[in-house]
């Protein structure tokens, strides 16, 4: 029951994250929205990690994995925010839901992990269900709108694979800290060229809390 409750809460956080990202992408330049997300994420993860483990939370034995994970994390988020500029939230969520299907293919073909026939059937059913939702070729999912979701799917799949390879080798909070800090460093270099103040119109201020809520759902 604990696992079920945590999974439901995680899905709710992902919904909040995607909704906040769509609002942020409409209000801010892409890199600025990403920088704000990583900044808030870094503050909370570093604060929690240091509170729990002290300075030892920064010790890592797999720096290359941490760098790779952070780079894939940035790429996946950037492609996701670009996708949300062109796709409705429901269609984008359906594409993201294909990540477990892609991971199953990678696990079987690249990692040589066994996949039961029943799981292959479920993968096929999940893929068909996704195709029904996104309706390739429709007005919402045609032309250039296909590029960014495809790139996001590839980056997110690679990100999840790297994360699974690191499971049990590092503290989860250590991995989260390095991912958020490295992502923050990568986006901070662009801030002098992309920084802008949020809109001060009443409508703008009503929408602005969504920009802050997105990183807190990470």
């Amino acid at each position: 029951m604990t696992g079920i409750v945590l999974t439901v809460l995680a899905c709710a956080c992902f919904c909040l994250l995607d909704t906040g990202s769509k609002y942020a992408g409409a209000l801010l330049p892409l890199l600025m929205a990403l920088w704000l997300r990583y900044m808030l994420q870094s503050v909370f993860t570093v604060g929690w990690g240091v509170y729990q483990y002290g300075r030892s939370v920064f010790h890592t034995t797999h720096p290359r994995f941490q760098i790779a994970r952070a780079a894939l994390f940035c790429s996946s988020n950037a492609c996701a925010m670009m996708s949300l500029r062109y796709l409705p939230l429901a269609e984008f969520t359906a594409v993201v839901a294909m990540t477990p299907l892609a991971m199953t293919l990678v696990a079987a073909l690249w990692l040589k992990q066994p996949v039961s026939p029943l799981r292959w059937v479920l993968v096929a059913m999940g893929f068909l269900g996704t195709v029904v939702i996104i309706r390739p070729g429709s007005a919402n999912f045609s032309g250039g709108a296909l590029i960014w979701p495809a790139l996001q799917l590839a980056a997110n799949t690679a990100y999840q694979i790297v994360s699974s390879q690191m499971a049990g080798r590092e503290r989860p909070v250590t991995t989260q800290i390095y991912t958020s800090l490295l992502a923050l460093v990568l986006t901070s270099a662009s801030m002098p060229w992309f920084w802008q103040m949020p809109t001060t119109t009443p409508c703008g201020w009503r929408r602005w809390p969504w920009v802050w809520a997105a990183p807190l759902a990470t």
Side-chain angles (χ1 to χ4, degrees):
M1 288 301 299
T2 301
I4 293 174
V5 171
L6 290 174
T7 301
V8 171
L9 290 175
C11 291
C13 287
F14 282 130
C15 291
L16 178 61
L17 172 62
D18 291 340
T19 304
S21 296
K22 190 169 183 66
Y23 274 107
L27 290 171
L28 299 170
L30 174 63
L31 288 175
M32 182 179 171
L34 289 174
W35 175 85
L36 180 60
R37 171 182 175 173
Y38 301 145
M39 186 269 291
L40 290 175
Q41 182 179 346
S42 297
V43 169
F44 281 94
T45 53
V46 171
W48 173 257
V50 172
Y51 172 77
Q52 288 289 316
Y53 302 103
R55 288 184 296 178
S56 67
V57 75
F58 295 102
H59 176 70
T60 177
T61 56
H62 299 86
R64 287 184 295 180
F65 272 98
Q66 299 288 7
I67 293 173
R69 188 176 188 271
L72 291 170
F73 181 66
C74 283
S75 301
S76 176
N77 289 338
C79 292
M81 294 194 72
M82 287 298 296
S83 299
L84 287 167
R85 291 186 175 183
Y86 300 102
L87 290 177
L89 190 59
E91 281 78 358
F92 169 76
T93 304
V95 175
V96 174
M98 293 180 65
T99 301
L101 313 183
M103 288 182 63
T104 301
L105 291 174
V106 173
L109 301 178
W110 182 36
L111 300 179
K112 306 301 181 182
Q113 296 180 357
V115 178
S116 66
L118 176 59
R119 183 167 295 182
W120 282 120
V121 172
L122 295 175
V123 166
M125 292 175 62
F127 177 76
L128 292 176
T130 302
V131 171
V132 170
I133 294 173
I134 64 178
R135 302 185 306 278
S138 65
N140 289 332
F141 206 90
S142 59
L146 176 63
I147 297 175
W148 294 111
L151 291 175
Q152 194 277 337
L153 177 62
N156 193 26
T157 300
Y159 168 76
Q160 298 294 343
I161 292 295
V162 171
S163 298
S164 68
Q165 295 297 303
M166 291 179 61
R169 301 183 182 183
E170 299 270 23
R171 289 193 186 111
V173 67
T174 298
T175 297
Q176 289 295 330
I177 285 174
Y178 275 99
T179 297
S180 58
L181 287 178
L182 291 172
L184 178 62
V185 170
L186 289 175
T187 52
S188 292
S190 65
M191 282 304 96
W193 291 274
F194 291 95
W195 177 266
Q196 71 178 39
M197 293 299 294
T199 176
T200 56
T201 62
C203 180
W205 284 117
R206 284 198 298 269
R207 296 172 65 190
W208 186 247
W210 281 104
V211 181
W212 295 90
L216 301 182
T218 302

